[in-house]
Amino acid sequence: MSELGFALLGHGFMGAAHSRALHALRAIDAPATPHLVSICGRDRSALEAARARYGWAEAVTDWRKQVADPRVQVFDNAAPNDLHAEPTLAAIGHGLHVLCEKPLGRCAAEARRLKQEAERAGVVHMCGFNLRFLPAVRLARELVERGELGEPVHFRARFLASSALRADQPRTWRFARAAAGSGAVADLGSHLVDLVRYLAGEPVRVSAATRTFVAERGGEPVDVDDAFSAVVELEGGAMGTLEASRAAGRRGNECAFQLDGTRGSLSFDVDRLNELELITERKQARRIDVTDPSDPFMDIWWPLPGHAIGWGDSFVHELRHLLAAVAGDGSVRPHGADFEDGHRCALTCDAILRSAETGRSQAVA
């Protein structure tokens, strides 16, 4: 399988990240070469600019044309949350392999339907949790699998931003429940839920609170959360704390986690993207520079250690992983997130919202 036709829905922030990655994969050793068939969006001028910038063959304004195109084998959905379900279901119906950005659905029921239809059709399906494809995060998983931390005891994570701080920001789809599903929970918290599942264990119960700090935008009410905090109980007895905010003062995208086990602890901070801190049983901390050619993903980049990569390269790794799964050279799981992972993440996000609404802890179910 030398070439795979891709159709991309979305040319905004995520669309640009996916376009850059697909463009890069045409020059990097991969199981198949992506053929950039079409990119889709509603703003014709911005769409045409994206087409020209990233080398897409066509710019179209109707995703229905994309999923019916015989040149396309993979449908890549990087659109807003309310456009995750219908176009992805249509692509599955045409037998296309699918990548859908997180959150997979605006609620668990929507994510469940996507999972069920993808499994029924037998197509490769992947949910876009790109943090799994940072070398330091993958190394953290490998350390856990080797037992170097012992049994997980505690996981704590935060994702803090200031993108919703100003009251004069327009009321985009991200501030409307019908379009987004939720606010910080879906936007940032879904990453944290996926990380705790990937590194520490399956959430079984949550206790949470949410806040909306700016209640009105552009004369319309805001019906999603700006921030949340949650205590999470994990299968096997470990516990965790998750915190995310889009109104955290003047912070940028501050994303970090710590995992404590019976034999050691590790820490990661996206501000030090290519590093892990590992604390051993002797309580000695050491910094691991995750840039050696033998470290996760680094074999496709530079031949010498010490050459750092960037956040955007996680999408290169993610899409390369998808290409391998479609080409039959491996599977999406366990290191990639498939639609089952997207559904289980949505179950936890729904439980966080229910707990905040009721004031009581909620089972993840």
Side-chain angles (χ1 to χ4, degrees):
M1 188 177 294
S2 60
E3 194 169 73
L4 283 169
F6 269 74
L8 175 66
L9 175 58
H11 57 81
F13 182 73
M14 275 296 109
H18 286 230
S19 288
R20 289 170 188 259
L22 288 166
H23 189 74
L25 281 167
R26 294 181 59 79
I28 290 175
D29 181 38
T33 301
H35 172 47
L36 309 188
V37 176
S38 65
I39 185 170
C40 182
R42 288 172 291 194
D43 184 331
R44 172 55 78 174
S45 61
L47 181 64
E48 182 57 36
R51 184 207 63 76
R53 182 178 303 116
Y54 300 114
W56 291 94
E58 293 181 13
V60 301
T61 55
D62 188 347
W63 54 261
R64 294 167 186 83
K65 179 179 178 182
Q66 290 184 299
V67 300
D69 190 332
R71 297 171 297 170
V72 174
Q73 288 84 48
V74 182
F75 182 68
D76 185 352
N77 192 337
N81 299 355
D82 58 336
L83 282 173
H84 285 186
E86 186 182 3
T88 304
L89 287 169
I92 292 168
H94 280 82
L96 302 183
H97 306 294
V98 286
L99 169 61
C100 184
E101 261 302 328
K102 63 85 202 165
L104 181 58
R106 290 169 292 180
C107 62
E110 196 169 74
R112 182 184 301 111
R113 186 182 176 200
L114 284 160
K115 177 198 76 164
Q116 291 172 338
E117 292 302 318
E119 290 175 348
R120 186 176 294 118
V123 299
V124 174
H125 46 95
M126 189 166 172
C127 188
F129 287 107
N130 70 297
L131 297 183
R132 291 186 179 214
F133 292 92
L134 291 171
V137 174
R138 176 64 62 83
L139 181 59
R141 166 74 180 228
E142 292 179 2
L143 293 172
V144 170
E145 289 179 329
R146 294 204 299 261
E148 296 200 21
L149 274 66
E151 293 299 316
V153 175
H154 202 289
F155 183 89
R156 60 189 69 84
R158 66 183 186 275
F159 202 146
L160 306 177
S162 56
S163 57
L165 181 65
R166 289 175 26 232
D168 61 347
Q169 289 173 283
R171 187 181 182 272
T172 65
W173 66 268
R174 293 184 184 276
F175 298 106
R177 179 172 292 188
S182 60
V185 172
D187 189 13
L188 309 180
S190 59
H191 275 302
L192 304 184
V193 171
D194 186 66
L195 284 171
V196 73
R197 292 188 64 250
Y198 185 56
L199 297 171
E202 199 71 49
V204 295
R205 180 168 287 275
V206 300
S207 300
T210 62
R211 292 288 183 276
T212 301
F213 296 108
V214 180
E216 184 178 291
R217 295 183 185 275
E220 295 184 73
V222 172
D223 57 356
V224 298
D225 56 287
D226 288 330
F228 83 93
S229 296
V231 175
V232 183
E233 299 174 40
L234 305 180
E235 206 171 57
M239 65 183 300
T241 55
L242 309 179
E243 175 190 15
S245 177
R246 301 191 300 194
R250 296 298 173 183
R251 297 183 188 275
N253 285 311
E254 181 180 301
C255 181
F257 66 79
Q258 298 172 320
L259 174 58
D260 301 318
T262 54
R263 296 182 55 198
S265 302
L266 61 79
S267 301
F268 169 78
D269 191 323
V270 77
D271 284 344
R272 299 190 300 277
L273 194 69
N274 295 275
E275 295 180 17
L276 274 182
E277 182 184 79
L278 180 65
I279 303 175
T280 66
E281 288 181 293
R282 297 180 179 180
K283 298 183 180 180
Q284 296 174 332
R286 66 184 178 97
R287 183 182 70 87
I288 303 174
D289 183 12
V290 194
T291 61
D292 191 88
S294 64
D295 286 329
F297 309 114
M298 297 305 295
D299 60 309
I300 65 172
W301 295 108
W302 316 115
L304 297 174
H307 292 84
I309 64 166
W311 174 82
D313 295 319
S314 65
F315 293 95
V316 177
H317 307 151
E318 179 180 75
L319 283 154
R320 187 170 182 260
H321 188 82
L322 176 68
L323 286 169
V326 172
D329 186 18
S331 60
V332 170
R333 276 187 157 190
H335 292 303
D338 65 6
F339 281 11
E340 170 68 15
D341 293 297
H343 173 232
R344 292 205 169 268
C345 178
L347 286 170
T348 301
C349 289
D350 278 10
I352 288 170
L353 294 170
R354 288 198 310 274
S355 178
E357 290 169 1
T358 63
R360 298 190 299 270
S361 69
Q362 296 287 319
V364 177

